[in-house]
């Protein structure tokens, strides 16, 4: 009897699920079947996480999540592949059930809150299969809040690979154990509050990270225990609007150049950014030596937080504890 094995870095436990218990999932999608159909069969307002197990295979479809509490759980992050080629300016699917739809292989509509994506590769390959461009071609795009993306490869051939943009920059997002690859710009670009840990970033000459923190001084992008690299020399990040960056216990190669995260434009002002540059570091190490702007300076942040205080719960101001939710989910799956 075949056994499915899942490894959750967050819980540090090996979880074994026998296929004899597949009925405990709300839905199982096999190669050749439709993930979208499984989502549409889910309740419009699930009272608890609605778990869709996606078996190994390549799924060439755009997946639109329009309801809360959906869990897309791949069988294996390397062998469960969602691959779709779509350019933002030329997308063929612009509307779903009367609502506009953004660019992306996976799109979370407004109201698709508390969703989890785990254990798969999500790849928008427009730039390498249709036309050579790094224009906007998202892998995961979202207008929801309390979104969790963990244990995934998130790849795109163009800008804004992982774009979670809840209205009014009021979203909360949690990422862990991601491999993010993008030759374009701003390939992790949250609007609101975001915590990312144990992720790897690989770019190619353009700014990697971006944040929109308009409307609330406490909005922030926090990245811990992660690694940054690039095919060619690259700027670490930039912003167009008020933003706040925290990097702790991160490493980077010498491809990261001496250019502090700063305002994106020199020839125009998109937003006056009244709170100014807010960039905070702790124990960041760069091959070939650190720059001045990579030195420890947490004491300059609001409240002078200690490194040990900065975690997911702190990031979200105690309003959301995604790690507790993930542990509860894995308990459900560990038959």
């Amino acid at each position: 009897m075949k056994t499915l094995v899942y490894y959750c870095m967050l819980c540090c436990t090996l979880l074994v699920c026998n296929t004899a218990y597949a009925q405990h999932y709300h839905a199982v999608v096999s190669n050749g079947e439709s993930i979208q159909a499984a989502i549409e069969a889910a309740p419009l307002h699930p009272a608890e996480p609605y778990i869709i197990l996606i078996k190994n295979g390549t799924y060439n479809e755009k997946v639109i999540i329009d309801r809360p509490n959906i869990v897309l759980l791949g069988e294996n992050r390397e062998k469960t592949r969602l691959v779709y080629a779509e350019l933002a300016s030329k997308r063929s699917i612009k509307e779903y059930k009367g609502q506009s739809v953004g660019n992306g292989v996976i799109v979370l509509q407004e109201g698709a809150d508390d969703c989890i994506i785990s254990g798969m590769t999500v790849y928008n390959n427009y730039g390498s299969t249709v036309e050579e461009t790094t224009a906007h071609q998202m892998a995961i795009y979202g207008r929801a809040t309390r979104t969790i993306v963990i244990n995934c490869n998130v790849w795109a051939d163009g800008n804004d690979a992982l774009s979670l943009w809840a209205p009014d920059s009021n979203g909360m997002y949690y990422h862990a154990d991601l491999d993010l690859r993008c030759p374009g710009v701003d390939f992790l670009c949250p609007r609101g509050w975001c915590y990312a840990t144990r992720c790897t970033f690989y770019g190619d000459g353009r700014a990697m990270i971006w944040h929109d923190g308009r409307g609330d001084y406490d909005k922030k992008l926090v990245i811990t225990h992660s690694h940054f690299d690039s095919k060619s020399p690259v700027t670490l990040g930039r912003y167009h609007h008020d933003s706040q960056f925290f990097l702790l216990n991160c490493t980077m190669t010498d491809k990261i150049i001496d250019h502090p995260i700063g305002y994106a434009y020199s020839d125009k002002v998109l937003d006056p950014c009244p709170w100014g540059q807010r960039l905070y570091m702790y124990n960041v190490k760069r091959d070939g030596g650190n720059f001045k702007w990579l030195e420890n300076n947490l004491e300059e942040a609001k409240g002078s937080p200690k490194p040990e205080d900065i975690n997911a719960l702190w990031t979200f101001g105690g309003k959301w504890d995604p790690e507790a939710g993930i542990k509860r989910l894995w308990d459900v799956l560990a038959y």
Side-chain angles (χ1 to χ4, degrees):
M1 184 176 293
K2 184 180 178 182
T3 298
L4 306 180
V5 179
Y6 299 92
Y7 181 64
C8 177
M9 294 289 292
L10 177 66
C11 302
C12 298
T13 55
L14 187 65
L15 305 171
V16 180
C17 173
N18 201 292
T19 52
Y21 296 98
Q23 66 269 24
H24 291 283
Y25 295 106
H26 296 91
V28 177
V29 181
S30 298
N31 194 23
E33 298 177 340
S34 169
I35 300 169
Q36 190 64 45
I39 293 170
E40 293 176 357
L44 285 176
H45 300 284
E48 60 182 22
Y50 186 92
I51 304 168
I52 300 173
L53 175 65
I54 305 171
K55 291 192 172 184
N56 291 341
T58 298
Y59 300 80
N60 300 115
E61 63 175 310
K62 184 181 180 78
V63 175
I64 302 167
I65 302 175
D66 66 338
R67 58 204 71 189
N69 266 330
I70 296 297
V71 179
L72 297 184
L73 179 66
E75 184 176 356
N76 180 285
R77 69 182 282 169
E78 308 298 337
K79 297 179 181 179
T80 304
R81 298 172 57 85
L82 281 63
V83 182
Y84 189 76
E86 183 181 68
L87 191 68
S89 61
K90 297 181 179 180
R91 63 189 190 276
S92 58
I93 300 174
K94 299 181 179 180
E95 186 176 292
Y96 179 77
K97 297 183 178 179
Q99 301 295 320
S100 62
V101 173
N103 172 241
V105 181
I106 298 178
V107 174
L108 292 90
Q109 297 285 78
E110 191 171 342
D113 303 332
D114 300 296
C115 287
I116 299 175
I117 300 168
S118 177
M120 64 186 70
T121 294
V122 184
Y123 181 23
N124 189 335
N125 64 345
Y126 183 93
S128 58
T129 60
V130 181
E131 62 175 309
E132 188 175 348
T133 178
T134 59
H136 289 87
Q137 44 193 289
M138 289 78 158
I140 301 175
Y141 172 84
R143 299 278 292 169
T145 190
R146 297 185 301 277
T147 302
I148 294 173
V149 184
I150 55 176
N151 186 31
C152 285
N153 300 320
V154 182
W155 303 338
D157 288 339
N159 304 340
D160 296 27
L162 179 50
S163 302
L164 299 184
W165 295 350
D168 302 315
S169 302
N170 279 331
M172 294 186 286
Y173 323 112
Y174 178 89
H175 308 312
D177 306 299
L178 301 185
D179 180 75
L180 292 144
R181 300 184 192 176
C182 175
V185 70
D186 304 339
F187 55 94
L188 176 65
C189 51
R191 299 179 186 265
W193 293 263
C194 180
Y195 181 83
T197 188
R198 299 185 307 274
C199 297
T200 59
F201 297 78
Y202 188 78
D204 188 10
R206 304 181 69 189
M208 293 177 160
I209 58 176
W210 180 95
H211 178 239
D212 178 353
R214 286 174 290 177
D216 189 326
Y217 190 93
D218 289 330
K219 291 176 180 176
K220 56 183 70 75
L221 167 58
V222 178
I223 302 176
T224 72
H225 299 94
S226 296
H227 182 70
F228 296 85
D229 191 12
S230 178
K231 182 178 178 181
S232 58
V234 66
T235 301
L236 181 60
R238 64 179 194 158
Y239 55 86
H240 300 72
H241 308 288
D242 272 312
S243 60
Q244 186 170 199
F245 298 82
F246 288 81
L247 274 74
L248 289 84
N249 300 309
C250 291
T251 57
M252 53 190 69
T253 71
D254 60 6
K255 289 294 194 295
I256 308 303
I257 66 173
D258 189 6
H259 190 290
I261 296 175
Y263 193 73
Y265 302 113
S266 60
D267 60 340
K268 60 181 176 179
V269 177
L270 184 67
D271 189 312
C273 300
W275 294 323
Q277 183 188 55
R278 293 180 295 160
L279 174 60
Y280 307 111
M281 302 283 178
Y282 177 77
N283 192 34
V284 174
K285 297 179 180 179
R286 175 187 174 274
D287 294 345
N290 278 15
F291 304 121
K292 180 70 175 176
W293 55 275
L294 293 174
E295 293 178 355
N296 296 349
N297 67 337
L298 286 182
E299 69 280 358
E300 298 176 9
K302 178 182 175 181
S304 299
K306 303 296 183 184
E308 59 269 21
D309 296 331
I310 296 179
N311 54 28
L313 194 60
W314 176 87
T315 299
F316 304 115
K319 297 177 182 178
W320 182 41
D321 188 356
E323 293 178 348
I326 293 169
K327 289 178 182 179
R328 285 195 297 271
L329 172 66
W330 254 257
D331 289 342
V332 169
L333 296 178
Y335 298 114

